[in-house]
């Protein structure tokens, strides 16, 4: 039977990669992309599938419950994959309220409408349906030099972004605990790859370096993130929807911990060799640290490996070269994004440089 996925936030970075990954690897599916088209969205990300008869875009906002209901009225949805979110920590520090609206209220609206569509009068859910909440390792807080986040690590978010994601996770859990709604949560580490908005570390450094602009490093640059190539995250989500036991949480990560400063130096080296020899470490500029900056994230992904047979396929060396090449080759995409607000954002954030 042909399954229909409702993917929210599909015009953003990971959502768009997920839609392309799914339509490329599975013939017999339909995908509805529900997205409010905020600053982070870009329908260009979906150009290669926009004419595919299995794909449909609906402009709708998770904060407007009626707009979600309309999508469920018009379509028989089997799987909900909730990517839609305000996703940038720096913006959450400036404006926490927006994060509560989309990440918490929006998720609760989506849970409520999905439940309404899937539950019968006896409180039983339709066979085979699934609600997958795409969460983040940031809900666990910050690690010292040792140790890993496992699925049983207590939630201890620090930023308004991670607090809003942790809150959404607890509502998803509540729908499982209270109603036995078939849900799962994935908590992934930092993603990188094509189509990521220029405000995040890796695309920002690539863009600024190509334009010989300063490369802002927060604090001492010794914070650690565990980087995963975006399609490896997409493959994990695909597996969880199809194979996971309901109610389970899965960590997803690449065992690829790097200091921020080393990420920046790697990008400089690739660009110096391939684009312009003027690109050098002299562009690095240490700036004021992010408030409440989490020191280290590291994921123990043994549960998803053992239970679902997931393994990352793209190592960091290969992934970062592919990513840099993509931004270098997709000048039009970069120009569109930079003219649609990124440059203004950059000037505001880094006016001190
Ligand atoms: P993104 O910011 O690139 O995209 C978010 C998308 O959601 C955009 O297309 C935006 O228009 C849409 N959106 C925002 N508010 C909406 C609303 N109210 N209604 C409907 N659509 C709305 O984000 P991303 O980096 O692709 O992240 C996707 C998800 O994955 C998020 O939930 C994020 O928390 C999670 N995640 C991200 C990472 C990462 O490294 N980027 C890692 C782990 C988990
Ligand atoms: P980011 O890409 O914003 O992801 P997250 O905060 O969700 O992990 O940032 C990754 C790391 O890079 C984080 O430690 C903050 C740091 N950073 C900089 O040093 N300079 C920058 O300009 C940005 C955007 C991030």
């Amino acid at each position: 039977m042909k399954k229909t996925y409702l993917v929210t936030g599909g015009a953003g970075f990971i959502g768009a990669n997920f839609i392309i990954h799914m339509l490329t690897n599975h013939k017999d599916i339909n995908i509805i992309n529900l997205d409010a088209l905020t600053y982070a969205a870009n329908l260009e990300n979906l150009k290669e599938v926009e004419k595919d008869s299995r794909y449909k875009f609906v402009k709708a906002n998770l904060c407007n419950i009626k707009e979600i209901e309309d999508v469920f009225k018009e379509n028989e949805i089997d799987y909900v994959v909730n990517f839609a979110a305000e996703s940038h920590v720096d913006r959450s520090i400036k404006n926490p309220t927006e994060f509560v609206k989309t990440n918490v209220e929006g998720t609760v609206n989506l849970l409520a409408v999905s439940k309404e569509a899937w539950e019968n009068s006896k409180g039983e859910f339709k066979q085979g349906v699934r609600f997958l909440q795409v969460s983040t390792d940031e809900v666990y807080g910050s690690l010292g030099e040792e140790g890993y986040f496992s699925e049983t690590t207590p939630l201890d978010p620090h930023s308004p972004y991670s607090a809003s994601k942790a809150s959404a996770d607890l509502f998803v859990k509540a729908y499982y605990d209270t109603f036995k709604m078939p849900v799962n949560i994935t908590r992934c580490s930092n993603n990188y790859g094509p189509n990521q908005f220029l405000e995040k570390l890796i695309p920002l450094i690539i863009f600024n370096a190509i334009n010989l602009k300063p490369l802002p490093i927060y604090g001492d640059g010794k914070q650690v993130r565990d980087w995963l190539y975006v399609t490896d995250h997409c493959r994990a989500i695909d597996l969880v929807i199809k194979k996971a036991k309901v109610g389970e949480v899965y960590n997803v990560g690449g065992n690829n911990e790097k200091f921020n400063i080393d990420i920046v130096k790697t990008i400089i080296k690739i660009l110096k060799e391939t684009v312009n020899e003027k690109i050098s470490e002299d562009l690095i500029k240490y700036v004021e640290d992010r408030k409440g900056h989490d020191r280290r994230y590291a994921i123990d992904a043994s549960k998803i490996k053992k239970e679902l047979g997931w393994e990352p396929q793209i190592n960091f060396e290969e992934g970062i070269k592919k990513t840099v090449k993509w931004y270098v080759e997709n000048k039009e995409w970069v120009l569109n994004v930079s003219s649609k607000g990124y440059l203004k954002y950059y000037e505001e954030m880094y006016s001190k440089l």
Side-chain angles (χ1 to χ4, degrees):
M1 260 270 285
K2 204 167 185 176
K3 299 287 187 187
T4 298
Y5 291 71
L6 175 63
V7 174
T8 73
F13 164 48
I14 310 175
N17 276 285
F18 178 75
I19 291 173
I20 290 167
H21 172 83
M22 294 300 287
L23 290 173
T24 308
N25 290 286
H26 305 284
K27 280 206 185 90
D28 219 12
I29 59 170
N30 288 317
I31 294 189
I32 299 159
N33 173 13
L34 179 163
D35 199 297
L37 299 184
T38 70
Y39 79 93
N42 191 345
L43 287 173
E44 288 284 299
N45 298 349
L46 294 149
K47 231 181 160 58
E48 66 184 270
V49 297
E50 70 187 6
K51 295 205 174 77
D52 191 318
S53 58
R54 300 169 298 162
Y55 169 75
K56 184 160 80 181
F57 172 70
V58 180
K59 184 171 185 301
N61 196 316
L62 289 190
C63 299
N64 183 333
I65 203 155
K66 166 93 175 44
E67 291 182 0
I68 312 173
E69 282 167 352
D70 287 346
V71 175
F72 273 84
K73 266 184 210 141
E74 284 157 26
N75 303 277
E76 191 97 348
I77 308 289
D78 298 291
Y79 305 133
V80 172
V81 190
N82 187 25
F83 289 99
E86 288 294 333
S87 67
H88 192 38
V89 174
D90 294 327
R91 287 184 192 253
S92 81
I93 294 167
K94 285 201 157 174
N95 186 4
T97 314
E98 279 308 305
F99 285 69
V100 178
K101 283 190 196 140
T102 285
N103 300 2
V104 187
E105 289 177 27
T107 300
V108 177
N109 286 343
L110 188 61
L111 283 163
V113 177
S114 307
K115 174 177 176 290
E116 184 67 27
W118 289 342
E119 193 186 35
N120 68 18
S121 56
K122 289 190 221 142
E124 297 157 346
F125 281 83
K126 206 172 138 185
Q127 283 297 309
V129 295
R130 198 63 68 103
F131 184 106
L132 191 143
Q133 175 70 2
V134 182
S135 187
T136 163
D137 60 356
E138 302 192 27
V139 298
Y140 296 120
S142 183
L143 292 163
E145 283 176 20
E146 304 276 308
Y148 295 91
F149 297 133
S150 80
E151 289 81 357
T152 54
T153 301
L155 301 189
D156 182 24
H158 298 138
S159 71
Y161 163 67
S162 53
S164 69
K165 292 294 290 186
S167 178
D169 283 13
L170 293 179
F171 275 99
V172 175
K173 178 181 176 303
Y175 267 68
Y176 175 66
D177 293 342
T178 309
F179 307 113
K180 293 283 165 283
M181 179 152 151
V183 306
N184 289 105
I185 298 173
T186 54
R187 297 193 179 128
C188 190
S189 59
N190 285 60
N191 285 213
Y192 69 103
N195 295 325
Q196 187 168 30
F197 191 73
L198 298 176
E199 68 191 354
K200 302 283 168 54
L201 179 71
I202 287 181
L204 181 143
I205 295 299
I206 299 170
F207 178 80
N208 284 10
I210 292 173
N211 291 290
L212 300 174
K213 279 171 174 266
L215 309 178
I217 308 283
Y218 299 167
D220 64 0
K222 291 284 179 65
Q223 299 79 14
V224 173
R225 298 292 181 266
D226 173 3
W227 295 93
L228 184 72
Y229 194 71
V230 62
T231 49
D232 280 329
H233 185 191
C234 297
R235 290 175 37 256
I237 291 172
D238 187 9
L239 272 177
V240 171
I241 294 167
K242 294 201 190 100
K243 284 196 175 173
K245 223 174 87 193
V246 297
E248 293 292 317
V249 176
Y250 291 90
N251 284 353
V252 186
N255 264 110
N256 182 54
E257 293 175 47
K258 303 269 183 214
F259 289 122
N260 291 341
I261 185 67
D262 291 338
I263 295 280
V264 174
K265 287 182 177 169
T266 303
I267 294 170
I268 292 171
K269 187 165 178 284
I270 299 171
L271 285 171
K272 192 181 180 63
E273 284 165 10
T274 56
V275 173
N276 181 350
E277 62 179 29
K278 284 198 194 126
I279 296 169
S280 80
E281 291 182 14
D282 292 345
L283 293 171
I284 290 174
K285 189 105 184 181
Y286 287 90
V287 298
E288 194 183 322
D289 207 354
R290 175 186 276 173
K291 286 194 176 71
H293 199 169
D294 286 339
R295 194 68 182 166
R296 175 171 168 258
Y297 302 144
I299 278 275
D300 172 357
S302 52
K303 180 175 172 182
I304 190 168
K305 291 181 179 178
K306 214 158 78 196
E307 286 187 15
L308 307 183
W310 175 84
E311 284 290 338
Q313 287 180 343
I314 304 206
N315 69 35
F316 187 73
E317 261 202 357
E318 181 192 352
I320 193 71
K321 280 191 188 140
K322 272 163 79 124
T323 305
V324 172
K325 189 163 181 272
W326 188 87
Y327 282 93
V328 171
E329 286 175 353
N330 286 272
K331 286 198 182 65
E332 212 172 306
W333 185 97
V334 172
L335 269 177
N336 279 340
V337 170
S338 51
S339 65
K340 269 196 228 135
Y342 167 72
L343 282 179
K344 187 168 163 281
Y345 168 81
Y346 180 81
E347 300 304 340
E348 281 169 18
M349 286 294 291
Y350 304 114
S351 54
K352 284 179 252 146
L353 290 180

